[in-house]
Structure formats: C-alpha cells, structure tokens
Amino acid sequence: MSFRIASSPHNHSQQHTCVLMQKVILACLPGIACQVYFFGYGVLLQLVLAILTAWASEALVLRLRQKPVLPRLKDHSAMLTAVLLAVSIPAFAPWWVIVLGTAFAIIIVKQLYGGLGHNLFNPAMAAYVFLLVSFPQQMTSWLPPLTLQAQQQQWLDPVCAVFTDFSCAGYSLTQLKTDIDGMTMATPLDTIKTDLSTGKTLTESLQQPVFDSFGGLGWNYINLAFLLGGLWLWQQKVIQWRIPVAVLGTLGLCSLLGYLIDPDLHASPLFHLLSGGTMLAAFFIATDPVSASTTLRGRLYYGALIGLLIYLIRSFGGFPDAVAFAVMLANLAVPLIDYYSRPRTYGHKPKGSF
C-alpha cells in the first residue's frame, strides 16, 4: 500500500469531488431560474458559452501539460467555475466577454497555478475582477427586469444582442437598457451609489421603479433563491455553516450600525443582504475549499473579513457590488489567518508550565 499526499480541497463527507461539484451546480439552479425569469434567456446563453469555453480551455491546458483530459473534466470543477462567472455578468454582455473571462479563469487563475487545489484565488471572482477592470462598460450593462423593459424581449433577441450588440428588431444595447420611463437602467446598488453622490437621500433613491418593497426588484428574489440553494448545500454537508454565517452576520451588523447612525445615507441590513451577489458570495464563492481558510476558527475570521470588506467597499469604495474584490482580498489573507488560527497541537505544553 502507498500513502498518497494530496493538496486541498479536502472533504470529510466521504463524497468524491465530482459529486460535490455536481451538488454545488444543482444548488445554483434556483438562482439561475430566477435570473432567467427577471432578465431573460440571455442568462442561459452566457452559461452555454461559459461552459463550452471552460471545457475547451481545460482540455487544451491539460493536453499541453500531458495530463489525462477526461478524468479532470469529469470532476466538474471547470464547469462550476463557468457557472459562477456566467451568473455574475449581464445577460446581454457581448459573447467575447464571457469567453475571455472564462478562459482567463481556467488557464491563468486555475491551471497556471497547477490545477484544482493549487489556485490562490477563486477563479470565477478573479476573472470577474479582470473583466470589470478591463471592460467596465460591458460589465455594467445590466438590463432592467423584464417588467420594466421598454423593449420587450423576443426569443432570439439574446442571441442577436450577445453576438451583434443589437436585438433582432435593431435596438442597441443602450436602448434595451432603457426602462418604461425612458431612464437608462442600472443595478439597485449602482443606482443608490450614484444618487447619494449627487446629493439625494436614500429615501428619495428608493422611490425609483427598480426598487421593490424590500430591495432591488428581482435581485431580492434571486438572492433568496441562492439562499435556498445554499441551505441545501449545508444540509447535504457540502459546506459548513461558519463561513456563510460569518459573512452574512458581519455584513448585517455593519449595515445595521450604519443604518442606525444615518438612515438617509446607509441602506438597511435587509437591503444589503438581498442585493447584488451577497448570497452567491456567502454560500457558493466564499466557501470554495481551495481558496478559503482551512481551520475552524479561521473560517469565522475569513467570513467576517469578507462581510466587512463588502460593506466598506459598497459604502465608501468605487464599485457598487464589492463581492469579487472582497473575496479576492480575503483570499490573500488566508495564509495569515490559517497561521494564527491553527489548533493547538495535542500534548502541547504552554511556556512556563512544569
């Protein structure tokens, strides 16, 4: 018998990596369904392009590294990276955006570091930051929810818009972003940040059609759907509770303090928790076993750091939805967190003891 030493991810649920990845992808389905319902079938097109690109990129690098291709593709890690990136970008983003981002995630962030278990950053979030910094216009071209769109989507509009930047009827992406009141649509988080910078109060900003009774129209239900999927992952013992609870608890506490200090400048905890990619980050991204902390106490610190960074960047930074930046900064801190949160060695004697 030979003893095999392997790098993370290590999991004690007695499930193969491919099974764990499959369950995470399945848990994403409620959130994906909500995105399709509110923003149209362009979400599915982005998913298809991302998955095909991930498979092709993974196979190419594995072939160049003279590694077996099919066994590595069957672990579904590349597919999961593609899914997480595809649900993070606008539904009508140009085709080359998702292709370039997915290739960057697989080739540079994952395989360049040695493949699954060796990457420093979460591949999907690193690719998202790369795209957002490089192509801010395309990455912020979110459509209004279907009920607010001035130009109603037809079946082939996502295909035409993604590959030609125009709908089948000839409307440009700028025209498609216009709501029924003739206003160019932005995400709820971006709308609030822009309005506050122009002197409006939070109450005035929340009167716009893009907001629902308890958050951004559509985004609140998308977050609830990802919350449902995340709870199922916890019930299946795919993830542990520490990181999601630390992320959501810290974000909720910070936003509550800000809201109590000045409710005209700081959104409520419910709005922060159900806007943007909060639930996706807490249950699907921060819990990545490769780039997250590996100790029990360290996971609490790691999750709390992500929640704090999300609030600080959303409130005082230049990017409305701070999830990707918060996760990447926390990834950098993981070695330090693990070092100072290591459990005491069995039989260890404190200094000065007899």
Side-chain angles (χ1 to χ4, degrees), residues 187-251:
T187 64
L189 287 168
D190 191 38
T191 299
I192 285 183
K193 180 170 286 292
T194 302
D195 288 347
L196 291 177
S197 66
T198 59
K200 290 184 178 179
T201 65
L202 188 63
T203 303
E204 292 172 333
S205 183
L206 292 175
Q207 301 305 312
Q208 300 185 55
V210 70
F211 296 101
D212 200 352
S213 56
F214 61 103
L217 180 62
W219 293 96
N220 43 18
Y221 295 106
I222 292 171
N223 273 276
L224 288 174
F226 280 118
L227 170 61
L228 179 65
L231 292 176
W232 181 75
L233 288 179
W234 173 70
Q235 186 271 333
Q236 291 290 308
K237 302 187 186 316
V238 175
I239 62 174
Q240 296 183 354
W241 60 269
R242 290 173 179 82
I243 292 177
V245 168
V247 171
L248 300 179
T250 304
L251 177 58

Side-chain angles (χ1 to χ4, degrees), residues 237-278:
K237 302 187 186 316
V238 175
I239 62 174
Q240 296 183 354
W241 60 269
R242 290 173 179 82
I243 292 177
V245 168
V247 171
L248 300 179
T250 304
L251 177 58
L253 178 60
C254 291
S255 55
L256 176 61
L257 293 175
Y259 184 72
L260 292 176
I261 293 171
D262 192 346
D264 285 334
L265 295 179
H266 299 278
S268 68
L270 189 61
F271 179 83
H272 274 284
L273 293 174
L274 297 180
S275 292
T278 302

